[in-house]
Amino acid sequence: MAKNLVIVESPAKAKTIEKFLGKDYKVASSFGHIADLPTKELGVDTEGDFKAKYIVSKDKKDVVRKLKGFAKDAEMVWLASDEDREGEAIAWHLAEELKLKKEKTKRIVFHEITKSAILKAIDNPRGINYNLVNAQQARRVLDRLVGYELSPVLWRKVKGGLSAGRVQSVSVRLIVEREREIQNFKAEASFRIDAEFATEQGKSFKAKIPKNFDSRKEAEAFLQENLGSNFKVAELTTKPAKKSPAPPFTTSTLQQEAARKLYFSVSKTMTMAQRLYEAGHITYMRTDSVNLSEDARKGAKEEILKAYGDKYAKSRQFKGKTKGAQEAHEAIRPTNFANHSVRADRDEQRLYELIWKRAIASQMSEAQLERTNVKIEASKHDKLFTANGEVLKFDGFLKVYLESTDDEEAEEQNGMLPALKENQPLNNKYITATERFTRPPYRYTEASLVKKLEELGIGRPSTYAPTISTIQNRNYIEKGSVEGTEREYVQFVLKGENIKENKLTETVGSDKGKLVPTAVGMVVNDFLVNHFSNILDYNFTAKVEQGFDDIAEGNEEWTHMMKEFYEEFHPQVLDVAKNAEREVGERILGEDPETGKPVSVRLGKFGPMVQIGSVEDDEKPKFASLGPDQTLDSITYEEAMDLFQLPKELGEYKGEKVEVNNGRFGPYVKFGKKYVSLEKGEDPLNVDFERAMELIKEKEKADAPIHHYEDMPVQKGVGRFGPFLKWNGIFINVNKKYDFDNLSVEDIETLIEDKKRKEREKLIHNWEEEGIRVEKARWGRFNIIKGKTKIELPKTTDAENLTLQEVQEILEEKSKKKTTKKKAPAKKTAAKKTASKKKTTTKKKK
């Protein structure tokens, strides 16, 4: 056994580090956190000192057992988890759970996985930093208190199965408030004046009047003034300008730029960055520092001199603006600047190249520009046209990299202007006056939400990706595909001696891939803002983050912070649970003309819906689901009443009724037991029998077998994850190397055989008589499968050596749990029914 045991969080990191250390070192992985708060109880002593109860999760018991064995045989244990607060807490849990003695335990940290960094860390060990541990405990406990106490209130007052979180709920609030700003926005029109001029040599350039005209009348009058006018250059100014590079990446700027340039989601960026870090290609990717170490700046300079030359190099250090940023840490950078790219998965490679370019550009010279501003006067009025041009004299850092922007209204980069001089006459090609409208605020993208959270001081680098994933998984937010509406606008064109009016149209309000709140998200947000405005206050959330920083620096006791918070928070939760009204986002739209009953819109069990009548009525209320483009806030009375025309019977086909309706997943045509979705934006009320038959025939054609293999039909289709084949109950993805529309028999059979081979390779055990098998699953895990039952086992399981008896015991335990869960609600339901009967009887007696 090796004398030294090094424990890291991930197997990938363990493999990389093992290459740098000799035979005296064994490197093992803890597979992330080994202990956490229990899932079925609060796990925090709220009546005492807020001590947290940590337990080893089931899937980590084997890991802990193995690590204990390794630690027992080692002379020294090196805790080498990440250098942030989470990493420090992992080191602490390892020391506690493995019962490590202080004299044979050392803590080491490094921000890059290179040989020199690892050996330097071994030479400079330290103890566990309990200030960082306590800062992480404070975050974990505070978030547990908020989530554990608020979620049951939401179940009772809004809808079952909901949950709340400190940072997540604030993120949802930002998105909901932005959506309401958009809904309440009233566009104002004005007229923008653009023109094109040409020199006597025929070189053209564009110019504009800087200020828009408020009305159509003023715009037309201005064009009239230009009839027969002569134009010349009134003023020409040229001055030098500089453009400086952006600092190297922090976690949030990497997430933003990867979204803008590579179209990665925030969680994908962090997954790719984690892999690059563990492979030793980049420094630690959870940081809010923009610093580069002296060695890094030297390495960058050497590469710039070698690749671009002396005039491109300029060493500089940046100062971060983030509150609580740990300046001792480094920005994200390559571990070796000589590597312009790396051999890795294509997306990892693209992210690495982005990091390399940004880091190397930060140590390069400014770009030298020459900016020209031209003012053009007309002989018949005193308004001046302006044109701007930009000439790049020296590219500097632009040779490598230019930062993108979130500003969707940013003007296009200025181009070059022809050679001009003052008083030079110009020919006018045309002048246009185009009606333009003010724009509502833009919906957040993942990148712009991260930017906003960072500006407000909410969350920290490690929280952004899980926060955004969580609010989407909980169905509070979705990546919307908002269809736009057509809008007419007017354009007047002056050409020669004529003014012509054009009526044009544009699509406005369309958004793809932006964050849009769902009905559930809006109702939950309204409830929390109404009753817990202090928790959802942006300043409160930022103040909490400052509190965590103070604990990390040893300036505040974490339990004192918890006590202060809980003494105010807990009574508030009890009060709301007892006294608050239910919140379903209900809005009365009017009266039903037939019955005189109220027509309302609200959040129901299966989503937003309209309702005629109420539960207090003798007759059961009528319900109808909202369409995919309708919201609780925006639906009108007329639109609501139209929904009650559904389901609409259209006719018969093959002896089966054909009808159109709205459902949980959007509008559809139903024929027998088959459902066919309408196309996006298609109104179910406008669908006639002819259109329904088109859709049904398309569905039948799509479902028809394209081939038979081993006497079983092969079908093809397109799903969430792209094109696929279906054969023998198996779905087979068809990758881009195949022409999906023109698959040959050979292609089909190759795809099926490849899938069969993969299925055989992932099979570990197959007990045919019992109908049980064990297979490899994604992310290194394993599945036990019996009929429709699937049980996922952790990656730490020794799946090869599982016996049939062990597998049967796992299945039996799973079925027992299911039975227990099913029985429990039945009692509650029975109790509720009894209670409601008693209430009814009492009312009748009275």
Side-chain angles (χ1 to χ4, degrees):
M1 179 67 200
K3 290 179 186 176
N4 296 279
L5 172 66
V6 181
I7 305 176
V8 295
E9 297 114 304
S10 80
K13 196 195 286 189
K15 277 181 191 172
T16 312
I17 292 173
E18 208 153 38
K19 290 187 283 187
F20 306 137
L21 299 170
K23 59 179 182 185
D24 286 343
Y25 289 84
K26 175 173 180 59
V27 186
S29 168
S30 70
F31 294 89
H33 279 279
I34 58 161
D36 197 5
L37 298 173
T39 52
K40 293 183 180 176
E41 58 177 294
L42 180 61
V44 179
D45 178 13
T46 54
E47 291 177 10
D49 59 357
F50 286 85
K51 190 178 177 185
K53 174 186 173 183
Y54 294 103
I55 59 167
V56 175
S57 51
K58 276 187 182 177
D59 63 337
K60 290 296 172 68
K61 282 186 176 170
D62 277 351
V63 175
V64 171
R65 185 170 44 77
K66 283 177 186 172
L67 291 176
K68 270 184 182 172
F70 294 151
K72 191 180 174 186
D73 297 337
E75 290 176 18
M76 183 62 67
V77 178
W78 304 79
L79 302 174
S81 48
D82 289 336
E83 61 172 341
D84 58 7
R85 295 169 194 175
E86 291 286 322
E88 209 66 32
I90 289 171
W92 174 58
H93 284 309
L94 284 165
E96 294 286 311
E97 295 297 336
L98 305 183
K99 296 185 170 47
L100 301 177
K101 290 176 182 171
K102 215 170 187 178
E103 62 273 13
K104 62 172 278 185
T105 309
K106 289 180 179 175
R107 168 84 171 116
I108 56 170
V109 293
F110 39 84
H111 62 268
E112 61 183 64
I113 303 175
T114 56
K115 188 170 184 176
S116 59
I118 302 300
L119 296 178
K120 190 178 174 184
I122 295 276
D123 291 339
N124 296 280
R126 62 167 173 81
I128 291 169
N129 183 332
Y130 286 96
N131 289 335
L132 293 182
V133 169
N134 290 337
Q136 193 275 340
Q137 280 205 89
R139 179 187 291 281
R140 185 73 189 93
V141 168
L142 187 86
D143 287 347
R144 168 55 70 98
L145 292 172
V146 171
Y148 211 86
E149 297 221 345
L150 281 190
S151 299
V153 177
L154 291 177
W155 304 340
R156 288 198 294 273
K157 301 295 180 181
V158 182
K159 186 173 176 275
L162 298 175
S163 58
R166 183 178 57 87
V167 178
Q168 293 96 311
S169 297
V170 173
S171 305
V172 173
R173 181 181 181 180
L174 280 168
I175 295 161
V176 168
E177 287 180 350
R178 177 60 57 88
E179 192 66 24
R180 292 214 164 114
E181 281 177 55
I182 293 166
Q183 286 173 359
N184 297 330
F185 182 80
K186 299 283 185 283
E188 292 177 9
S190 62
F191 282 79
R192 190 186 71 205
I193 309 296
D194 297 290
E196 188 172 320
F197 295 100
T199 62
E200 288 170 342
Q201 292 75 30
K203 298 281 174 113
S204 297
F205 64 96
K206 290 191 169 116
K208 64 177 184 180
I209 297 288
K211 193 174 183 300
N212 286 6
F213 288 102
D214 292 335
S215 68
R216 172 185 175 133
K217 191 179 175 182
E218 287 175 294
E220 282 186 278
F222 175 72
L223 291 186
Q224 291 287 346
E225 285 180 331
N226 282 281
L227 283 167
S229 202
N230 295 317
F231 300 91
K232 68 174 184 179
V233 176
E235 195 181 309
L236 185 71
T237 54
T238 302
K239 56 183 179 185
K242 284 181 182 179
K243 198 186 279 277
S244 297
F249 283 129
T250 61
T251 304
S252 74
T253 54
L254 176 65
Q255 290 168 352
Q256 291 167 52
E257 195 72 338
R260 291 186 292 238
K261 277 193 159 71
L262 307 177
Y263 307 104
F264 286 1
S265 68
V266 168
S267 58
K268 180 174 179 175
T269 298
M270 294 312 289
T271 303
M272 300 290 113
Q274 179 85 34
R275 288 181 195 163
L276 289 170
Y277 167 64
E278 288 173 354
H281 297 314
I282 63 168
T283 54
Y284 192 52
M285 67 289 150
R286 289 191 182 92
T287 175
D288 42 18
S289 168
V290 286
N291 279 357
L292 287 181
S293 67
E294 195 176 329
D295 287 348
R297 293 201 300 276
K298 279 181 189 169
K301 188 172 181 179
E302 280 172 25
E303 194 52 35
I304 293 163
L305 293 173
K306 193 166 93 180
Y308 309 110
D310 184 49
K311 62 180 180 177
Y312 282 94
K314 182 178 178 180
S315 186
R316 54 167 72 77
Q317 188 63 287
F318 293 88
K319 184 76 180 160
K321 295 176 185 173
T322 310
K323 290 176 188 173
Q326 292 159 307
E327 298 297 344
H329 293 175
E330 272 199 271
I332 304 167
R333 63 162 175 85
T335 53
N336 183 357
F337 280 98
N339 296 332
H340 293 217
S341 187
V342 290
R343 294 181 72 179
D345 168 271
R346 178 71 188 122
D347 284 339
E348 285 173 49
Q349 193 180 71
R350 289 167 71 207
L351 189 66
Y352 175 84
E353 286 165 9
L354 187 70
I355 292 165
W356 182 88
K357 286 174 183 175
R358 174 86 164 219
I360 204 112
S362 76
Q363 301 302 302
M364 291 175 74
S365 309
E366 291 96 346
Q368 306 290 336
L369 311 163
E370 186 179 79
R371 288 199 176 121
T372 306
N373 177 264
V374 182
K375 289 182 179 170
I376 299 151
E377 68 178 24
S379 58
K380 292 196 171 183
H381 58 82
D382 59 358
K383 288 188 172 59
L384 297 173
F385 290 87
T386 63
N388 296 303
E390 196 172 84
V391 178
L392 188 64
K393 293 288 188 182
F394 171 62
D395 54 1
F397 78 93
L398 292 176
K399 194 170 192 73
V400 174
Y401 180 84
L402 176 65
E403 185 182 22
S404 298
T405 174
D406 276 321
D407 186 3
E408 299 182 43
E409 287 185 310
E411 290 181 20
E412 290 176 24
Q413 207 173 339
N414 294 324
M416 284 181 66
L417 292 170
L420 298 166
K421 55 178 188 262
E422 286 188 8
N423 294 317
Q424 178 180 343
L426 298 168
N427 297 321
N428 175 243
K429 287 188 157 185
Y430 65 78
I431 302 174
T432 60
T434 310
E435 190 177 16
R436 297 286 78 191
F437 295 86
T438 50
R439 292 181 176 186
Y442 288 102
R443 290 184 175 92
Y444 287 107
T445 59
E446 285 195 6
S448 59
L449 181 62
V450 164
K451 188 178 179 183
K452 186 68 177 175
L453 290 169
E454 190 179 37
E455 280 171 12
L456 293 169
I458 294 166
R460 279 293 176 263
S462 59
T463 63
Y464 296 136
T467 294
I468 291 170
S469 297
T470 301
I471 60 178
Q472 288 181 73
N473 294 340
R474 287 178 180 168
N475 196 34
Y476 293 160
I477 301 298
E478 59 190 12
K479 276 194 180 172
S481 184
V482 180
E483 298 297 320
T485 54
E486 289 283 308
R487 176 169 68 193
E488 290 187 351
Y489 68 99
V490 178
Q491 184 184 62
F492 298 101
V493 182
L494 163 61
K495 204 167 188 178
E497 293 301 309
N498 298 314
I499 297 174
K500 185 183 171 188
E501 180 182 339
N502 297 326
K503 286 200 182 323
L504 306 168
T505 60
E506 60 185 350
T507 302
V508 293
S510 65
D511 261 336
K512 286 190 169 52
K514 302 287 181 69
L515 301 176
V516 181
T518 62
V520 174
M522 292 183 108
V523 172
V524 168
N525 175 73
D526 291 348
F527 179 81
L528 292 175
V529 169
N530 287 340
H531 299 289
F532 297 97
S533 55
N534 54 335
I535 301 294
L536 266 73
D537 180 70
Y538 302 132
N539 292 330
F540 165 78
T541 314
K543 190 181 162 195
V544 165
E545 294 295 343
Q546 186 56 54
F548 297 152
D549 292 341
D550 291 341
I551 294 164
E553 288 158 21
N555 298 329
E556 188 175 351
E557 186 65 41
W558 80 273
T559 51
H560 174 71
M561 181 186 174
M562 292 305 103
K563 192 176 181 185
E564 258 190 0
F565 165 75
Y566 196 69
E567 279 176 355
E568 187 182 334
F569 173 65
H570 185 62
Q572 189 181 359
V573 172
L574 296 177
D575 177 58
V576 172
K578 187 180 176 185
N579 301 315
E581 295 290 320
R582 274 186 67 79
E583 176 75 70
V584 287
E586 188 171 33
R587 199 161 59 90
I588 304 295
L589 302 176
E591 274 190 7
D592 175 29
E594 283 183 28
T595 62
K597 289 178 180 178
V599 177
S600 60
V601 60
R602 68 178 181 87
L603 183 66
K605 189 179 177 184
F606 300 114
M609 61 178 196
V610 288
Q611 173 178 315
I612 296 177
S614 65
V615 285
E616 285 81 23
D617 296 342
D618 293 335
E619 285 181 37
K620 194 179 173 185
K622 280 186 185 176
F623 303 105
S625 295
L626 265 62
D629 298 326
Q630 294 171 324
T631 66
L632 293 176
D633 283 6
S634 63
I635 190 167
T636 63
Y637 171 77
E638 289 73 21
E639 288 167 342
M641 293 309 289
D642 283 345
L643 292 171
F644 288 104
Q645 294 176 37
L646 300 172
K648 188 168 78 172
E649 200 170 318
L650 302 174
E652 269 194 19
Y653 174 59
K654 293 182 180 176
E656 298 278 8
K657 188 166 65 174
V658 175
E659 63 179 31
V660 64
N661 200 0
N662 244 336
R664 284 174 69 187
F665 306 108
Y668 62 86
V669 166
K670 186 185 176 195
F671 147 60
K673 290 183 180 178
K674 287 186 180 176
Y675 293 83
V676 190
S677 293
L678 300 190
E679 285 183 8
K680 208 160 203 176
E682 197 168 0
D683 186 348
L685 292 167
N686 294 335
V687 172
D688 56 16
F689 183 70
E690 194 179 330
R691 172 63 182 144
M693 288 310 301
E694 265 179 51
L695 292 164
I696 290 167
K697 292 280 170 65
E698 280 172 24
K699 175 77 173 164
E700 286 180 333
K701 190 179 175 184
D703 290 348
I706 57 165
H707 182 59
H708 279 78
Y709 187 66
E710 294 178 358
D711 295 330
M712 284 179 279
V714 181
Q715 294 167 296
K716 73 185 221 181
V718 178
R720 281 175 66 196
F721 306 109
F724 65 84
L725 294 180
K726 187 182 176 186
W727 173 81
N728 192 20
I730 301 169
F731 288 90
I732 305 158
N733 289 332
V734 180
N735 62 36
K736 286 179 183 174
K737 77 175 185 182
Y738 292 97
D739 180 355
F740 184 64
D741 294 325
N742 302 296
L743 287 171
S744 65
V745 170
E746 190 185 349
D747 290 338
I748 293 165
E749 294 184 355
T750 302
L751 283 160
I752 293 170
E753 282 302 322
D754 282 350
K755 183 69 175 177
K756 282 167 73 178
R757 178 180 52 78
K758 283 177 188 170
E759 291 292 315
R760 283 194 301 272
E761 284 170 2
K762 77 177 185 183
L763 190 68
I764 299 168
H765 298 291
N766 187 15
W767 294 288
E768 286 187 21
E769 278 187 32
E770 290 79 7
I772 300 170
R773 62 187 193 275
V774 179
E775 293 180 349
K776 291 175 189 171
R778 293 173 75 191
W779 320 120
R781 295 173 184 270
F782 307 95
N783 286 331
I784 294 174
I785 300 166
K786 183 179 182 182
K788 289 185 179 178
T789 303
K790 185 190 277 188
I791 301 172
E792 192 179 83
L793 303 174
K795 54 179 103 171
T796 50
T797 309
D798 185 359
E800 295 281 347
N801 295 320
L802 278 172
T803 64
L804 174 60
Q805 191 181 343
E806 285 171 335
V807 171
Q808 284 174 326
E809 282 170 9
I810 294 167
L811 283 161
E812 201 175 315
E813 195 180 330
K814 176 83 172 174
S815 67
K816 274 181 190 173
K817 280 182 183 174
K818 268 190 178 177
T819 314
T820 316
K821 276 182 185 175
K822 279 180 185 174
K823 280 180 182 174
K827 286 178 186 175
K828 283 185 183 177
T829 313
K832 277 183 185 176
K833 281 181 181 175
T834 314
S836 62
K837 277 181 184 177
K838 281 180 183 175
K839 280 181 186 176
T840 315
T841 317
T842 315
K843 278 182 185 176
K844 281 179 183 175
K845 279 179 184 175
K846 280 181 185 176

